[in-house]
Amino acid sequence: TLESHLSLAPFLLPFWRNPFCCRLFNKEKVTTMILNTTTVNVALGLPGMTSTFNGFQLIRMRVLAIVAASSSIVAGLIGIYYLMLADKRKRMFRHEMILFLIVCDFIKALVLVIYPIIILIDEYHYSNPVFFNILGWFTAFSIEGADFAIIFVAVHFGLLIFKPNWRWKNKRTGNLEGGLYKYKFVIWPVTFIVPSVMASLVFIDYN
């Protein structure tokens, strides 16, 4: 019954003071659902999905998202530029990992700026699953890739500090490298393959 579904609502979201829920408890006929969410829809047994924000709020949030993501893109380009300026003879393995981290964040910022721009231009793409799937895959890949890069950078610096005697010669630059340098040919495939697989798992049995 509707009452049994409503009993789940307080455990999901504090919607008791929401006019929508109050009208439901009064058993009035509801024709619009302005302040609803997917989670509450499921709890109430109601089909469909409605926006939590009105049109003006959505426009403001998309503009803010464009500004924030654009700032990240500019910062990423500056970081990549200065890393490329470094003398190749002084370039270390840690610089490569930091570059990979910046590239992952750059891809994420690029995706997060593409989405609001396209939606502001044409809201038709709300009903385009290909558009969401492509952006979603790149978002998940860049986030997971950046996480792996952060983990490897942290472990690398930890080994440089606590295992200073671990040294191997870099054949390309002639420098002595420590930390995870010996395992770089394992690290790079992991940082690409694992995020790719994790971003693709959602498409298993996708209809």
Side-chain angles (χ1 to χ4, degrees), residues 33-194:
M33 294 179 293
I34 299 174
L35 295 176
N36 216 345
T37 64
T38 307
T39 305
V40 175
N41 279 343
V42 173
L44 298 176
L46 301 175
M49 180 176 65
T50 56
S51 177
T52 308
F53 306 98
N54 59 40
F56 181 68
Q57 291 172 328
L58 288 172
I59 291 175
R60 286 195 298 179
M61 286 191 295
R62 287 166 188 159
V63 171
L64 289 174
I66 292 170
V67 173
S70 300
S71 302
S72 296
I73 290 173
V74 172
L77 290 174
I78 293 173
I80 293 171
Y81 173 74
Y82 278 106
L83 281 173
M84 292 294 101
L85 283 181
D87 190 342
K88 292 184 178 180
R89 294 171 297 179
K90 297 181 180 180
R91 191 172 298 172
M92 309 290 284
F93 178 56
R94 61 178 176 268
H95 296 138
E96 297 177 12
M97 289 193 291
I98 293 172
L99 178 62
F100 179 75
L101 173 60
I102 293 175
V103 168
C104 287
D105 282 333
F106 179 82
I107 294 173
K108 180 177 66 176
L110 194 61
V111 171
L112 295 179
V113 79
I114 290 174
Y115 167 75
I117 289 176
I118 292 181
I119 293 298
L120 283 174
I121 294 173
D122 186 4
E123 291 190 354
Y124 158 77
H125 292 285
Y126 266 132
S127 59
N128 186 354
V130 176
F131 170 70
F132 283 106
N133 290 338
I134 292 174
L135 291 185
W137 190 92
F138 277 104
T139 302
F141 169 80
S142 59
I143 291 173
E144 297 296 338
D147 290 342
F148 273 95
I150 291 171
I151 291 172
F152 286 130
V153 168
V155 174
H156 180 72
F157 277 98
L159 292 175
L160 288 176
I161 295 171
F162 297 106
K163 295 289 184 179
N165 295 328
W166 287 16
R167 294 288 179 180
W168 299 277
K169 187 175 182 179
N170 188 328
K171 296 180 181 180
R172 187 177 59 183
T173 62
N175 299 325
L176 290 176
E177 299 269 13
L180 292 175
Y181 174 77
K182 184 178 179 180
Y183 308 99
K184 65 180 294 185
F185 296 107
V186 176
I187 291 173
W188 290 130
V190 168
T191 53
F192 280 99
I193 294 174
V194 176

